[in-house]
Amino acid sequence: MGEQVKEKFRDSIGTIDESGKRKFIFPKKPKGKLYNYRTYVSWFLLAFLLAAPFIKVKGNQFLLFNVLERKFHIFGFPFWPQDFHLLVISLLVSVVFIILFTVIFGRIFCGWMCPQTIFMEMVFRKVEYLIEGDRNKQIKLEKQAWDSEKIRKRVTKWVVFFFISFIISNVFLAYIIGSDNVLGYIKDGPLAHLNTLIYLLVFTAVFYFVFAWFREQVCIIVCPYGRLQGVLLDNKSINVAYDFVRGEGDNGRKKLRKEENRDELGHGDCIDCKQCVQVCPTGIDIRNGTQLECINCTACIDACDEIMDKSGFERGLIRYASEDNIEKKEKFKFTARLIAYSVILTILVGVLITLLFLRNDVEATILRLPGQTFQSTETTVKNVYTVKLINKTTEDIDDVEIKLISPVGEIQMIGGLMNIGRQGLKEGTLFIEINKKDLNSSKEKLKIGIYSKGKLIETTSTNFTGPLKIN
């Protein structure tokens, strides 16, 4: 009888050992065509991330998310709390786009564009390789006693990690409170803004913890996106995948031996070198199939292609492919599910673009003064109102006048014409007086126009109260 083979199935994540303790991963330094492409993409995204809060468009920060003062700049265009509906639709567009992209390409965003992956693999991991060396040297250093070499390398790495984390914290702070404020704080010195410095150090500690210790656990445990794969992916989704048909053959994988006919023996092209496992930043074996830890970083593709070249086999044993493509040789098709997502995405994008074009430059709010009743004479009725005008543009709006469009009446502005600076806010008080004969009810709907230098720039409405009309 032949030897019985006991199959082992994966029942735990790659960062946990058999005793349940954390197992640190020491991935081999990746190299190859796809890694080079990913490096170029990362350089561009890092440059954009670091520069965006310091770029100005017509005096506006390119990207600003000041939740404290409720000021937002998207690509240089200012947005206010009154534009919240645009934010909601934008988030819906993003969610549907991510769903559509995931259904087609899996978790490719994580490997190519996610800030966590870019900082971890393209910044902190590179620093680690520079100071501690590649995989084997890092493993040796980990097991090594705390001698002078280990102390020197570890302390150097920790100091560099902390410095990079501090820079990232300053950049993220610029996104929140504005780059001008951050540069002003730096010029004034840390002692002049101790509270801000404390917040910075807290965020620095968080970033340091994530990139120095927590690392790939963010993608495996914290990030909910990986779990979306379970409900979004199907056999037609394109992922970083192992061609098990070609790799396993009839009798499974086997180490490569000279002058051996693998086809006759029924063995696949996988020579079980485990290079794909050693380069994986989340510690998985891609040969086990699609897994939630896989971030589609393509490191295993480059590693496998290099081995295939050396072994004389065709490249692509690990590649971007769907399960149906591997098993049935089916090409990618646009299914009814993808068409439905695409239609929804197109509609949402159309609605967003339409609302952006219809977005007013001035937001006007006119409300009756709380606690005040109308004033009535023999012929007229007068109400007092508070007015709030927000200039959403990057230009000053001068000679602002408020006029009653319907019904016929008069508006008296306290203080006369107003000037609203760019992205400014003006508040004031006004009286509206209407002849009793022009009122149709005790609660009349008024249409009011906001004019600048005689040109209508916005319309709004409010309620006007008066005495009950007795027919």
Side-chain angles (χ1 to χ4, degrees), residues 58 75 88 233 272 296 312 467:
K58 294 183 178 180
F75 305 132
V88 172
L233 299 186
D272 205 22
N296 282 210

Side-chain angles (χ1 to χ4, degrees), residues 185-452:
Y185 292 166
I186 294 174
K187 184 178 180 181
D188 294 340
L191 296 180
H193 305 281
L194 283 177
N195 288 337
T196 303
L197 178 62
I198 292 172
Y199 288 130
L200 265 180
L201 291 177
V202 169
F203 279 105
T204 300
V206 171
F207 285 121
Y208 178 82
F209 169 77
V210 168
F211 295 114
W213 190 86
F214 206 50
R215 303 163 81 89
E216 70 283 335
Q217 300 284 73
V218 173
C219 305
I220 298 173
I221 299 174
V222 177
C223 180
Y225 187 38
R227 282 143 183 83
L228 283 175
Q229 292 185 111
V231 294
L232 295 178
L233 299 186
D234 55 26
N235 291 345
K236 294 177 174 54
S237 300
I238 299 172
N239 274 300
V240 171
Y242 166 66
D243 189 337
F244 56 89
V245 175
R246 174 187 157 193
E248 301 297 314
D250 295 327
N251 295 320
R253 61 183 81 112
K254 185 185 178 184
K255 295 286 185 181
L256 184 65
R257 289 182 172 86
K258 292 182 178 180
E259 299 179 359
E260 180 181 66
N261 193 322
R262 296 176 68 88
D263 292 334
E264 289 183 0
L265 295 173
H267 294 297
D269 287 354
C270 178
I271 63 173
D272 205 22
C273 64
K274 292 186 170 58
Q275 290 299 305
C276 57
V277 180
Q278 292 182 14
V279 297
C280 180
T282 57
I284 67 169
D285 188 340
I286 192 63
R287 297 173 297 178
N288 288 329
T290 302
Q291 297 150 72
L292 68 86
E293 301 99 319
C294 180
I295 58 173
N296 282 210
C297 69
T298 71
C300 55
I301 296 179
D302 283 330
C304 186
D305 283 347
E306 184 180 8
I307 296 298
M308 292 296 101
D309 290 342
K310 292 179 179 178
S311 305
F313 297 143
E314 184 183 353
R315 286 187 165 207
L317 182 60
I318 302 176
R319 63 183 187 273
Y320 277 119
S322 67
E323 189 170 336
D324 282 353
N325 176 257
I326 291 172
E327 193 169 9
K328 304 175 184 177
K329 305 302 178 184
E330 289 184 0
K331 294 184 178 180
F332 174 77
K333 295 179 181 179
F334 229 69
T335 63
R337 181 188 180 196
L338 295 179
I339 293 173
Y341 285 139
S342 300
V343 170
I344 294 173
L345 180 62
T346 302
I347 293 172
L348 288 173
V349 170
V351 170
L352 179 61
I353 293 174
T354 301
L355 290 176
L356 286 173
F357 275 107
L358 295 177
R359 177 175 176 261
N360 295 324
D361 292 337
V362 175
E363 184 80 24
T365 305
I366 299 177
L367 300 172
R368 289 185 67 251
L369 190 65
Q372 296 292 320
T373 61
F374 61 87
Q375 301 173 20
S376 178
T377 65
E378 290 185 3
T379 58
T380 64
V381 179
K382 181 185 292 186
N383 279 244
V384 60
Y385 295 82
T386 59
V387 57
K388 180 187 291 185
L389 300 177
I390 299 174
N391 179 5
K392 299 179 181 179
T393 70
T394 57
E395 306 290 338
D396 294 338
I397 300 179
D398 300 324
D399 299 335
V400 176
E401 188 177 5
I402 302 175
K403 297 179 181 180
L404 190 61
I405 297 177
S406 66
V408 178
E410 292 184 0
I411 292 182
Q412 300 173 2
M413 293 178 57
I414 305 301
L417 300 178
M418 290 190 290
N419 296 322
I420 314 174
R422 66 183 187 91
Q423 300 180 50
L425 182 149
K426 281 286 186 178
E427 295 181 309
T429 305
L430 58 82
F431 292 93
I432 300 179
E433 188 173 17
I434 300 176
N435 199 301
K436 287 182 178 179
K437 66 181 180 62
D438 294 321
L439 295 174
N440 297 317
S441 67
S442 60
K443 194 173 183 180
E444 191 84 8
K445 196 77 171 179
L446 305 184
K447 184 177 180 181
I448 299 173
I450 313 299
Y451 295 80
S452 174

